[in-house]
Amino acid sequence: MLQEQCLWSVTAPKIHPYDELRSDTQTSVCIIGGGYTGLSAAIHLAEKGVKVTLLESQSIGSGGSGKSVGLVNAGTWARPDDLNIALGEVEGERLTEALGHAPSLVFDLISRYGIDAQATQNGNIHMAHNAKGEADVDIRYEQLQRRGVNVEVLTGSRCHEYCGTTNINKALLDHRTGTLNPLAYVNGLAKVATELGVTIYEHSTVNTLEKSDGEWYVRTPKASVKAERVIIATNAYTEGEWTEVSKTFYFVSYYQIASEPLTGELADRILPHKNGAWDTRLALSSFRRDHDGRLLLGTVGGRACKPKSFYQSWADCVQKSYYPDLPKFNWQYEWYGNFGFTQDHIFRVLEPDEGVLTATAYNGRGITTGTLMGKCFADYILTGDRSSIPLPFKTLKESKVALSSMKSVFTEVGLTLYHAGQCLKIIR
């Protein structure tokens, strides 16, 4: 029976809960947010002996970090040459290189600290669903090859084997990448951080952030943290009126549905090499298998103004399109999450005040971008070297998205129409 519950909360190893902040304390760096960015920063600072306190408004991994698809991808949605157009050649190449190494950073942390993240590093697949998508795959391959990246174009029977469907005839396989259980990864990062001496508080929502006598005071309903530096690592789950971070992106929702564990010869043909995958549709579909053999389908879009069966019908349609020889799946779990989005698919890095750092709008690439930015923030705090950050700082004014709420609404309407068109076979 299909139930609305995040699969990862069922399959990730459990960690003990952390206490709520109830008394005033002092630290060198206070981190707001217990996701990929915040915990990566905490680990890389603690490794160098810096005293760190981390505040999470709910529980570790309760935001986007615990609900994502779990694709450990490199780069941004934008193609490398497009980044150069948007940022200039020097900054574009610097960002492409940094994000190209980000999957290795994730897998290195998992290996170095023995995190049980159910990770695979077999590469991920960008599947071309039509002729336009095939042309995009060729362009991306040429641009990445020119930069020495280990990618290959899959065609014909090799493509069919890797994707598990004969309805995809060309795909780009990026060997740098892989998959993991996102909640298991973020829970593992929290465990590592505490072992390194980081103090974590859950259910400690920040109400105000104030500066006095050169120190920052991060206040929650019951107590405060006095700190020299602050990292705001809340991204699309920023809450409250104490910060304008949420004005630097607009919200896009993401839906996922998971089948029961699949077995048998036909089921084993679906992504047999345990790659993650997504297609080139305007409203993309993502595909992966989990640790227990379930097939997970995902797509951009939220629940607003839709019947409960809307996405299940969409999932049935996608299954029939890509895997027509398989019997109709019994779907087991479905859930939603949010991510911060920008029109140019480039995240933002800000230093809104002296001693305060934040990064926003990872555009659905949070696992790698968040882990990387956490390390970059730690390096910047430790050295004072701005070149530690792979993007130029922007001001809050430069980063604000005009009419962000309206953009979120119009995006959701467009996605709803697109998915309805898929189900009605108007869009293929």
Side-chain angles (χ1 to χ4, degrees), residues 363-413:
N363 290 274
R365 294 286 176 103
I367 293 174
T368 41
T369 310
T371 303
L372 172 69
M373 287 312 303
K375 181 181 186 302
C376 291
F377 283 157
D379 291 343
Y380 179 48
I381 288 171
L382 291 164
T383 66
D385 183 2
R386 286 203 172 203
S387 67
S388 302
I389 310 294
L391 268 177
F393 285 111
K394 283 187 173 290
T395 66
L396 193 59
K397 183 178 180 180
E398 290 174 316
S399 301
K400 284 184 179 179
V401 174
L403 303 174
S404 59
S405 296
M406 293 298 292
K407 279 187 170 65
S408 297
V409 170
F410 286 133
T411 299
E412 182 59 36
V413 170

Side-chain angles (χ1 to χ4, degrees), residues 262-304:
L262 303 176
T263 58
E265 183 181 351
L266 289 178
D268 290 344
R269 294 179 190 172
I270 302 175
L271 301 171
H273 300 285
K274 309 304 180 187
N275 313 100
W278 70 101
D279 62 22
T280 53
R281 293 183 182 276
L282 182 62
L284 66 83
S285 303
S286 62
F287 309 79
R288 63 161 297 187
R289 304 291 294 271
D290 82 337
H291 188 66
D292 298 315
R294 297 177 182 85
L295 175 67
L296 280 66
L297 300 181
T299 191
V300 279
R303 74 180 79 196

Side-chain angles (χ1 to χ4, degrees), residues 199-307:
T199 303
I200 295 176
Y201 294 101
E202 292 181 323
H203 306 290
S204 301
T205 302
V206 173
N207 289 339
T208 60
L209 176 62
E210 300 172 339
K211 193 173 188 179
S212 178
D213 298 326
E215 301 281 356
W216 287 99
Y217 291 84
V218 186
R219 305 188 191 280
T220 71
K222 296 182 179 178
S224 66
V225 179
K226 179 182 178 182
E228 300 166 19
R229 307 290 292 266
V230 176
I231 296 174
I232 303 172
T234 49
N235 200 7
Y237 287 78
T238 302
E239 301 173 329
E241 300 298 324
W242 57 273
T243 177
E244 294 188 295
V245 164
S246 60
K247 296 179 180 179
T248 63
F249 53 84
Y250 60 98
F251 291 99
V252 175
S253 296
Y254 202 88
Y255 170 83
Q256 292 183 77
I257 189 168
S259 73
E260 292 180 338
L262 303 176
T263 58
E265 183 181 351
L266 289 178
D268 290 344
R269 294 179 190 172
I270 302 175
L271 301 171
H273 300 285
K274 309 304 180 187
N275 313 100
W278 70 101
D279 62 22
T280 53
R281 293 183 182 276
L282 182 62
L284 66 83
S285 303
S286 62
F287 309 79
R288 63 161 297 187
R289 304 291 294 271
D290 82 337
H291 188 66
D292 298 315
R294 297 177 182 85
L295 175 67
L296 280 66
L297 300 181
T299 191
V300 279
R303 74 180 79 196
C305 303
K306 300 181 183 71

